[in-house]
Amino acid sequence: MSEPAASNPLLALQTHLPPSFDEIAPEHVEPAISQLLEDLHQAMAQIEADVQPTWSSRIEDLTRRFEPLQLAWGAVGHLTGVRNSPELRAAHEAVQPAVVELLTRVGQSQPLYAAAVALRDGPDGSSLDEAQRRVLDASIRGAELSGVALEGSQKARFNEIQMELAELSTTFSNNVLDATKAYELILRSPAEVDGLPTTARELAAQSYREARGAEAGAPQAAEDEATAEQGPWRITLDGPSLSPFLQHATRRDLREQVYRAYVSRASEGDTDNRRVIDRILLLRAEKAGLLGFADFASLSLARKMADSVAEIRDLLGELRERAWPAAQRDHEELQAFAVEHGFEGELRHWDVGFWAERLREHRYAITDEQLRPYFPLPKVLDGLFALAERLFEVKVVAADGEAPVWHEDVRFFRIVDASSGAPRAAFYLDPYSRPAEKRGGAWMADCLGRSTTLAGPGEAVRLPIAYLVCNGTPPVGERPSLMTFREVETLFHEFGHGLQHMLTTVDRDGAAGIDNVEWDAVELPSQFMENWCYHQPTLRGFSGHWETGDPLPQALFDKLLAARTYRAGSDTLRQLYFGLTDLALHDGYQPSTERSPFDVQREVAESCTVLTPLPEDRFLCAFSHIFAGGYAAGYYSYKWAEVLSADAFGAFEDAGLEDDAAVRATGRRFRDTVLALGGSRHPMKVFEAFRGRGPATEALLRHAGLTG
């Protein structure tokens, strides 16, 4: 039986405090969310009757009324990503339709919409500041895109679509998690793990022990006492396991087996996402038509920086022209190198990662395993936080124990002003992979947003709190997490997202931090932060051998820098492949028996992949960004924003990266524009305020080594 409402932690959440993650359990979800929804449904008639065309009534009062649901549902959604379980999944699925129904009702409320339009067009509208106008415009646009103008059967059908799309998105995400979790390759002979670095073998042995229940304190059967030297070893489709195996395992047949499993994830059996994809695409197209758009891509762009699909294709086409010949050269060089070193025949997909790593080692005399010991997570965090202090004049202070967490590995930090010590924000860091309960990838999400409306008792403003979630290599035994350089870049990337959420100075709900930032500009701060990974003084600050403390040697840094643009053409083309496939699926395409989404994928692949995808390649079935995330008809945003982020870093290059005073001054300007202004201004205005002009592609092409 569920607990009474009075003792339900989801009903006891405070608008200015982080959730009680140590108390929230699956059995709390249904009673709490159901109660909150019932309260709001009963209050809606009075809310609609009382709403006035004023800022306090239409925006602030509504924000206060709905915040308890936002907090509780946000906490539940977060836990489904980081602590998934059958019980939590069932509870989430049980109440999700009712949540969608309530949010749809609010979005389609004629009185609320009329009050917003009257405020915008009335005498009070002229007194609103820019942030308020942006919030109000977004509210009106949101209502229009929620079907507020629809009536009768069209409205009913739209609402059915909204409900089904929400359910399909959850199903898609769960299928990917389950399919990833279900696969394992157990290896028992040292010959089967030949070539794997020690760290990969240690992780594989630890994975085997954990999967067999041989955790600390539990009885161990003899066959479960896996070791890095003797095995058994467990290989999974989770990033920290998959990537090293494809890069280093000498057994080509085993690489092929793992690769084929990876590209066909969630495409058959109980976790088959093929029908889910078809249905999502059909419903999105129908939804767009009901709202008066030609296709879902046009609907998506209504909330983005780009003006048209044609404009996006122009940018991606320009980048493809630079990347395609470079990618072809990459492959030709790799083929020649492999043959020179004993390989026979044509390289296949499961060979590319392996031989690319061999060529990288040969050309630059550098490996991930050489670098790992210099990037223990604690040292990387110290250096990252020192960079934040140098650029943005804030300090990051460990605050473990000051907020409840959902797993023992999660840490909590506070951000304070470096000069005054005044609190600015806080964040959780969940750094390690947990494939049994945590979805893959890395992300930043909003726990609490900056707000004067929702400030706690005696406080002038509610300070923001962020979730920073990664899936990095976990510690093994007594050794700390030793990160690959790519994992370091990912951490910097997510911290950049977090900085925009946390260092905002906007107090308006709906415009603070990343709120109301056009989606194709939201990657600017994150991709900007990645550039500092190649800045030597910064890198020396976040590197230190986990045993000796010695910083990364100069020789290794020189090799790392030289290898920065290694296979840049191939990497760029891969991102364009994803982005153009996404666009093609949402720009006029209708699923049919004659032409499936996978046919579209293969058509795009003809101009964006040097190696034709395998016939059974179903990467779309695990493409969570566009089928279970916010990137539908928006995956191009990574490249769009990379133009902005590279050009933004170019401002530091122009100022002189070795001029500490100039770097600090430029960092303050970046903080006071890109990070501070959030969604209170159009992103082009924000960029121009920082850079003094509009963006150019030159810096991106230069950083990627594609200017020749």
Side-chain angles (χ1 to χ4, degrees):
M1 295 181 59
S2 60
E3 296 178 348
S7 61
N8 191 315
L10 285 172
L11 292 173
L13 297 178
Q14 302 294 307
T15 60
H16 62 294
L17 296 175
S20 303
F21 287 116
D22 57 341
E23 299 177 359
I24 298 172
E27 59 265 26
H28 297 133
V29 175
E30 284 193 69
I33 300 301
S34 297
Q35 181 64 57
L36 292 168
L37 290 171
E38 181 181 348
D39 292 346
L40 286 172
H41 273 298
Q42 292 178 354
M44 273 299 292
Q46 192 63 47
I47 291 172
E48 291 177 322
D50 292 344
V51 68
Q52 300 295 316
T54 65
W55 178 262
S56 62
S57 175
R58 175 57 183 83
I59 302 298
E60 293 181 335
D61 289 351
L62 211 62
T63 297
R64 293 189 189 95
R65 296 297 292 267
F66 283 87
E67 185 64 8
L69 175 64
Q70 296 281 9
L71 285 174
W73 189 237
V76 173
H78 173 67
L79 288 174
T80 63
V82 298
R83 205 181 71 193
N84 205 298
S85 69
E87 296 78 14
L88 180 60
R89 184 180 297 184
H92 181 271
E93 292 175 354
V95 293
Q96 184 182 46
V99 174
V100 174
E101 181 185 5
L102 184 278
L103 296 179
T104 300
R105 178 183 176 185
V106 174
Q108 294 176 345
S109 169
Q110 289 287 349
L112 297 182
Y113 177 69
V117 172
L119 173 58
R120 181 193 64 187
D121 299 340
D124 287 351
S126 59
S127 65
L128 299 178
D129 60 36
E130 186 174 10
Q132 289 175 305
R133 288 194 297 272
R134 288 261 298 171
V135 171
L136 188 60
D137 287 344
S139 178
I140 293 170
R141 183 174 62 248
E144 293 168 349
L145 298 182
S146 295
V148 71
L150 299 177
E151 297 179 351
S153 61
Q154 285 192 325
K155 180 177 180 180
R157 178 58 186 151
F158 182 89
N159 293 349
E160 290 173 357
I161 290 172
Q162 290 289 82
M163 187 77 70
E164 189 174 353
L165 281 173
E167 294 170 355
L168 289 168
S169 175
T170 299
T171 298
F172 187 97
S173 183
N174 287 339
N175 284 345
V176 175
L177 178 64
D178 289 347
T180 302
K181 182 170 60 175
Y183 180 86
E184 63 176 16
L185 174 65
I186 305 300
L187 305 176
R188 300 183 182 279
S189 165
E192 294 175 315
V193 294
D194 180 59
L196 281 191
T198 300
T199 54
R201 284 187 277 108
E202 289 174 340
L203 182 61
Q206 178 171 282
S207 176
Y208 183 89
R209 293 193 300 270
E210 292 175 348
R212 298 301 179 266
E215 298 175 352
Q220 287 189 347
E223 62 271 19
D224 289 336
E225 295 177 351
T227 66
E229 296 76 20
Q230 299 300 320
W233 302 271
R234 180 173 179 260
I235 306 302
T236 71
L237 301 182
D238 199 46
S241 176
L242 173 79
S243 295
F245 193 80
L246 292 178
Q247 290 175 337
H248 297 287
T250 60
R251 280 282 299 271
R252 188 180 185 226
D253 59 324
L254 297 179
R255 294 201 311 269
E256 177 181 358
Q257 182 177 333
V258 171
Y259 179 86
R260 288 184 184 274
Y262 181 72
V263 298
S264 61
R265 273 185 308 164
S267 66
E268 59 184 7
D270 293 339
T271 61
D272 192 346
N273 269 334
R274 288 177 296 175
R275 290 184 296 276
V276 178
I277 290 172
D278 282 343
R279 189 64 180 160
I280 287 174
L281 292 174
L282 278 170
L283 292 176
R284 284 175 177 170
E286 185 180 357
K287 173 182 174 180
L290 287 171
L291 294 175
F293 292 92
D295 47 50
F296 186 80
S298 301
L299 168 58
S300 175
L301 292 188
R303 301 188 186 197
K304 292 186 171 64
M305 191 175 173
D307 292 327
S308 67
V309 172
E311 184 181 11
I312 298 167
R313 290 190 184 279
D314 285 344
L315 172 65
L316 300 187
E318 177 188 351
L319 296 176
R320 185 200 166 279
E321 286 183 10
R322 300 297 187 100
W324 177 256
Q328 285 185 310
R329 288 194 299 272
D330 288 344
H331 189 71
E332 290 166 1
E333 291 173 354
L334 197 63
Q335 177 72 47
F337 176 81
V339 170
E340 181 182 342
H341 288 77
F343 181 79
E344 297 180 357
E346 296 295 320
L347 291 175
R348 301 298 301 276
H349 302 78
W350 46 88
D351 299 318
V352 172
F354 177 83
W355 286 105
E357 192 64 19
R358 304 290 80 72
L359 178 55
R360 180 170 175 261
E361 294 167 0
H362 174 79
R363 182 173 293 174
Y364 304 105
I366 190 172
T367 69
D368 278 341
E369 295 311 301
Q370 286 176 289
L371 297 174
R372 270 189 197 269
Y374 292 95
F375 298 122
L377 176 61
K379 181 62 177 178
V380 173
L381 288 177
D382 288 345
L384 175 58
F385 299 159
L387 175 66
E389 181 174 0
R390 180 177 179 232
L391 295 181
F392 311 127
E393 206 172 359
V394 294
K395 285 187 176 181
V396 181
V397 181
D400 299 301
E402 294 183 17
V405 296
W406 53 92
H407 190 275
E408 61 184 5
D409 291 335
V410 176
R411 299 198 59 192
F412 189 69
F413 297 89
R414 297 196 182 277
I415 294 184
V416 302
D417 186 273
S419 54
S420 69
R424 294 288 301 271
F427 65 94
Y428 297 90
L429 175 64
D430 188 347
Y432 309 130
S433 169
R434 295 191 302 276
E437 64 177 12
K438 183 179 177 183
R439 69 179 173 91
W443 65 93
M444 189 285 295
D446 175 346
C447 176
L448 299 178
R450 183 178 174 93
S451 170
T452 52
T453 304
L454 300 170
E459 297 177 349
V461 63
R462 182 178 76 174
L463 297 179
I465 300 178
Y467 302 120
L468 302 185
V469 184
C470 297
N471 268 278
T473 304
V476 176
E478 298 300 315
R479 192 187 62 203
S481 168
L482 300 182
M483 307 174 74
T484 67
F485 192 72
R486 182 61 197 136
E487 288 173 346
V488 173
E489 290 178 300
T490 298
L491 177 63
F492 272 63
H493 179 105
E494 299 308 330
F495 190 66
H497 279 308
L499 288 171
Q500 187 173 31
H501 174 67
M502 294 185 287
L503 297 190
T504 184
T505 56
V506 178
D507 295 334
R508 306 291 187 189
D509 295 280
I514 63 170
D515 283 351
N516 207 33
V517 176
E518 280 73 358
W519 198 257
D520 40 8
V522 80
E523 296 293 336
L524 193 171
S526 54
Q527 294 179 150
F528 163 81
M529 286 297 293
E530 290 185 45
N531 288 283
W532 293 100
C533 294
Y534 293 92
H535 179 233
Q536 186 170 12
T538 299
L539 186 142
R540 288 185 65 86
F542 68 73
S543 69
H545 196 282
W546 74 281
E547 292 177 306
T548 67
D550 294 337
L552 188 72
Q554 181 68 42
L556 281 180
F557 172 77
D558 291 342
K559 294 172 183 177
L560 179 65
L561 191 62
R564 181 180 184 180
T565 59
Y566 175 56
R567 296 181 61 80
S570 300
D571 292 342
T572 299
L573 203 61
R574 180 175 181 271
Q575 286 296 98
L576 297 177
Y577 172 41
F578 293 163
L580 287 168
T581 300
D582 170 39
L583 276 184
L585 289 172
H586 293 103
D587 181 22
Y589 166 72
Q590 286 279 358
S592 67
T593 55
E594 291 79 24
R595 188 165 175 257
S596 75
F598 305 100
D599 294 326
V600 174
Q601 171 200 338
R602 284 187 283 273
E603 291 164 10
V604 175
E606 291 178 5
S607 62
C608 286
T609 61
V610 176
L611 277 181
T612 303
L614 297 176
E616 69 267 33
D617 187 307
R618 297 289 183 270
F619 96 85
L620 291 177
C621 288
F623 200 177
S624 297
H625 276 77
I626 70 169
F627 293 116
Y631 283 87
Y635 196 85
Y636 75 89
S637 300
Y638 281 102
K639 281 302 173 189
W640 184 277
E642 196 174 352
V643 171
L644 304 177
S645 64
D647 203 5
F649 189 74
F652 290 82
E653 295 174 316
D654 293 345
L657 286 173
E658 307 313 314
D659 184 337
D660 188 64
V663 166
R664 289 176 181 271
T666 309
R668 303 299 186 273
R669 194 167 77 250
F670 187 88
R671 179 198 65 187
D672 295 339
T673 52
V674 176
L675 300 181
L677 297 176
S680 68
R681 294 187 197 173
H682 190 278
M684 187 60 76
K685 287 186 178 181
V686 174
F687 184 87
E688 290 171 349
F690 168 67
R691 198 68 170 99
R693 57 164 174 76
T697 60
E698 187 276 332
L700 172 60
L701 294 171
R702 175 165 46 82
H703 291 168
L706 299 175
T707 54

